[in-house]
Every structure is written in structure tokens, then in C-alpha cells.
């Protein structure tokens, strides 16, 4: 009798959330997976009878698509270079702003957090002008040292590093706030004990701060990796994937296939491939972190 009452209470509290999740998440995901097994395109939009079930043909075609591998390589470049740099910059800024020697901490936190709440498209447009080869502020600054001008977004070797720099500036404030929260949870007694034992600032950072921030670092690393794998607005606004596809990301390629060429079935297979890559990356990060602190 009591267990049946408990089940009713569970259904009463969890039922609405489960219904919303089912309707707006699970059903669309299942429908998208079904689409990835078809050749759904613009003709199927006009007449559903043109829709054909092709099984895993889209996935096989994807593995033989050179443009997909180019987009995958660019995305990994962005994640593996930009992700760690973003975490390091966030941690360094958080440690500085958590120091008792820095004045106006709240003001600096506000300034560094402002890019996070600024629209990404607006930021991308502003940075596009900063990178302008003739009128950009960056080339003007370099000209003071007789360097340049450089075509930041037109040179295939410089385009992706330029986007990485902009992405770090845009996102590091969010991770900085999380790191500051983690730093403030470290007991001060640990630092006091280390000082009594004669530890210097670097030894305190290495043996107290970094281990105590391990759960925070894992969380920041995972959300940064997931966010960076979804690189889209920056190359879409600033380079359109060029030059020579050097900034074409997986999500931008998925968008082009789905909404420029209307290969919806093929584009959804790209989406599920990206999901598998992010899932594998997350599992690897959890395992590495677990082995490190066992």
C-alpha cells in the first residue's frame, strides 16, 4: 500500500518534467536519428513519397567525404588548442582576482564577464573589423613596431588562430567565475599550514590549489570541450568557413548541408557523428581525471 502511494507521488512530481523532456527532447532526437537513415532532401519536403530509407548509407558516405574530414580536423584544432588555452587563461585570471593584493576585484570581475553576456554575432562582427587587413586596430598596433600588415582572416594559416583568440576573449570570463567559486571553497587553513612549513607561492599553487580545484577543473574542461566542439557562429560570421576551408567546422558543415543544399538526412548524420565524438571525448576526460587522482 505504501509503495503504491510512493509511486503515485513520484509520478505526480516527475511526470510533468518527463512529459516535457519526452516531447521536446527524446522524440525530436529519435526523429532526427530516423532522418539520418533516409535521403530526406528538398524534394521530400515537397512530396514525402520521394523519401527513401537508405540505412547507414549517409554514415558510410560521410566517412568517405574529404570535406567532412577537413571540418573534423579544423574542429579538433580549435578544441585542442583553444580549449586548454581558455582554461589556463580563466584559471590564471581567477587566481589573480582571488588574491588579497588585487584592488577593485568586483569591478574587474564585471569587466571580464561582460564579453560572456554580449551577443556572439555582434562580437564576431566587431572582431572582424579589428582583424581588417587595412583598417583594423590590430594591424595598426603592429605597424607601430614595423610589422605587417597581416591578412588575419584571409590567410589560411592565420584564420583559425585568429578565431581561437577571439573565442578565448569571449568565453574565459564564464570559466573564471566558476574557478573563483572553487578557489573560495579551499580552506585557508591549508595555506596557513603550508606557510608554517615554509612553502612558497608556487608550491602552494601546485600542491594545494590545483588538487583542490580538480573537480572544478574537470567540470570546466568538459563544458569548454562541448562548447568548442559546437563552433559555428564565429566562422559563419567572420569567414564563412574559408579561406580554403581552413575554418570550416563540423557544425558549420552540417548547417551548409542542411540549410544551403537541403540534404537534411545527410546533415543529421553529421550531427549524430558529432554527438558520438563529444561523448567519447567526455568519457576520456572523466577517465583521465579519475586515474590522476586515484
Amino acid at each position: 500500500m505504501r509503495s503504491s502511494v510512493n509511486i503515485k507521488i513520484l509520478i505526480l512530481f516527475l511526470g510533468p518534467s518527463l512529459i516535457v523532456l519526452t516531447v521536446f527532447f527524446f522524440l525530436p532526437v529519435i526523429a532526427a536519428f530516423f532522418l539520418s537513415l533516409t535521403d530526406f532532401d528538398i524534394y521530400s519536403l515537397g512530396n514525402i513519397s520521394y523519401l527513401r530509407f537508405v540505412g547507414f548509407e549517409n554514415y558510410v558516405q560521410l566517412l568517405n567525404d574529404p570535406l567532412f574530414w577537413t571540418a573534423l580536423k579544423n574542429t579538433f584544432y580549435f578544441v585542442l588548442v583553444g580549449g586548454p588555452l581558455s582554461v589556463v587563461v580563466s584559471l590564471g585570471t581567477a587566481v589573480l582576482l582571488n588574491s588579497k593584493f588585487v584592488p577593485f576585484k568586483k569591478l574587474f570581475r564585471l569587466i571580464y564577464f561582460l564579453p560572456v553576456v554580449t551577443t556572439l554575432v555582434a562580437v564576431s562582427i566587431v572582431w572582424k573589423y579589428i582583424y581588417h587587413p587595412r583598417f583594423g586596430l590590430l594591424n595598426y598596433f603592429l605597424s607601430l613596431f614595423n610589422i605587417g600588415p597581416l591578412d588575419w582572416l584571409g590567410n589560411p594559416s592565420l584564420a583559425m588562430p585568429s578565431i581561437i583568440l577571439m573565442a578565448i576573449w569571449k568565453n574565459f570570463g564564464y570559466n573564471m567565475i566558476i574557478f573563483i567559486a572553487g578557489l573560495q571553497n579551499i580552506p585557508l587553513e591549508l595555506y596557513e599550514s603550508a606557510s608554517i612549513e615554509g612553502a612558497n607561492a608556487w608550491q602552494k599553487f601546485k600542491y594545494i590549489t590545483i588538487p583542490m580545484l580538480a573537480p572544478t577543473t574537470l567540470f570546466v574542461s568538459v563544458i569548454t570541450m562541448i562548447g568548442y566542439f559546437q563552433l559555428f557562429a564565429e566562422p559563419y560570421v567572420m569567414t564563412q568557413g574559408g579561406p580554403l576551408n581552413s575554418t570550416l567546422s563540423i557544425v558549420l558543415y552540417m548547417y551548409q548541408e542542411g540549410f544551403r543544399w537541403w540534404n537534411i538526412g545527410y546533415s543529421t548524420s553529421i550531427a549524430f557523428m558529432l554527438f558520438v565524438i563529444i561523448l567519447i571525448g567526455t568519457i576520456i576526460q572523466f577517465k583521465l581525471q579519475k586515474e590522476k587522482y586515484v
Side-chain angles (χ1 to χ4, degrees):
M1 182 66 184
R2 187 173 178 180
S3 63
S4 106
V5 171
N6 288 339
I7 290 173
K8 287 179 182 176
I9 293 173
L10 277 175
I11 292 173
L12 180 66
F13 281 98
L14 297 179
S17 301
L18 290 175
I19 290 172
V20 171
L21 275 174
T22 303
V23 172
F24 293 103
F25 180 74
F26 291 112
L27 287 180
V29 168
I30 292 169
F33 182 69
F34 173 75
L35 279 181
S36 74
L37 304 177
T38 69
D39 65 347
F40 192 81
D41 56 14
I42 194 168
Y43 301 107
S44 304
L45 277 175
N47 187 343
I48 198 66
S49 63
Y50 289 134
L51 182 70
R52 290 185 307 138
F53 182 77
V54 296
F56 289 95
E57 189 178 307
N58 285 332
Y59 293 92
V60 174
Q61 184 183 344
L62 199 59
L63 295 176
N64 295 309
D65 183 352
L67 211 51
F68 168 73
W69 290 107
T70 301
L72 188 64
K73 183 190 74 175
N74 293 338
T75 306
F76 268 99
Y77 178 18
F78 183 77
V79 173
L80 295 179
V81 176
L85 281 175
S86 178
V87 173
V88 169
V89 172
S90 305
L91 177 59
T93 313
V95 170
L96 281 175
L97 291 185
N98 196 52
S99 168
K100 57 185 178 183
F101 302 109
V102 176
F104 310 114
K105 291 179 184 176
K106 291 182 180 177
L107 177 64
F108 282 116
R109 287 175 193 170
L110 174 67
I111 292 172
Y112 291 147
F113 194 74
L114 278 178
V116 178
V117 295
T118 309
T119 309
L120 182 54
V121 174
V123 168
S124 301
I125 292 172
V126 170
W127 274 80
K128 190 176 179 180
Y129 282 103
I130 291 175
Y131 284 137
H132 195 282
R134 189 173 177 187
F135 304 108
L137 285 175
L138 194 52
N139 274 342
Y140 173 75
F141 177 74
L142 292 178
S143 70
L144 300 177
F145 302 94
N146 294 321
I147 301 174
L150 300 175
D151 192 358
W152 296 97
L153 299 177
N155 185 329
S157 302
L158 294 176
M160 185 56 87
S162 303
I163 288 180
I164 288 173
L165 179 63
M166 192 273 280
I168 291 172
W169 176 85
K170 171 76 173 68
N171 299 312
F172 87 94
Y174 181 77
N175 292 338
M176 177 198 73
I177 294 296
I178 297 173
F179 273 127
I180 287 175
L183 286 168
Q184 291 177 346
N185 281 327
I186 299 176
L188 293 176
E189 290 81 5
L190 293 176
Y191 293 107
E192 291 169 359
S193 302
S195 298
I196 293 170
E197 295 292 332
N200 57 33
W202 169 247
Q203 288 170 329
K204 289 179 193 174
F205 179 74
K206 184 178 179 182
Y207 296 111
I208 297 176
T209 305
I210 292 181
M212 294 299 288
L213 277 181
T216 309
T217 307
L218 176 64
F219 174 74
V220 167
S221 302
V222 170
I223 61 169
T224 302
M225 182 200 68
I226 292 172
Y228 274 37
F229 263 119
Q230 299 175 50
L231 173 67
F232 173 72
E234 296 93 333
Y236 178 77
V237 175
M238 299 171 76
T239 61
Q240 286 288 313
L244 300 175
N245 294 319
S246 60
T247 58
L248 180 69
S249 67
I250 288 285
V251 179
L252 181 59
Y253 184 47
M254 179 176 65
Y255 168 82
Q256 290 177 346
E257 286 293 329
F259 296 100
R260 180 177 293 176
W261 311 118
W262 291 100
N263 294 322
I264 304 292
Y266 190 62
S267 70
T268 48
S269 68
I270 298 174
F272 278 95
M273 194 65 84
L274 179 62
F275 166 74
V276 171
I277 292 169
I278 292 175
L279 181 64
I280 292 172
T282 306
I283 292 172
I284 289 173
Q285 278 193 317
F286 270 99
K287 282 194 172 294
L288 288 176
Q289 198 76 13
K290 190 176 178 181
E291 289 173 3
K292 189 175 179 181
Y293 293 100
V294 163

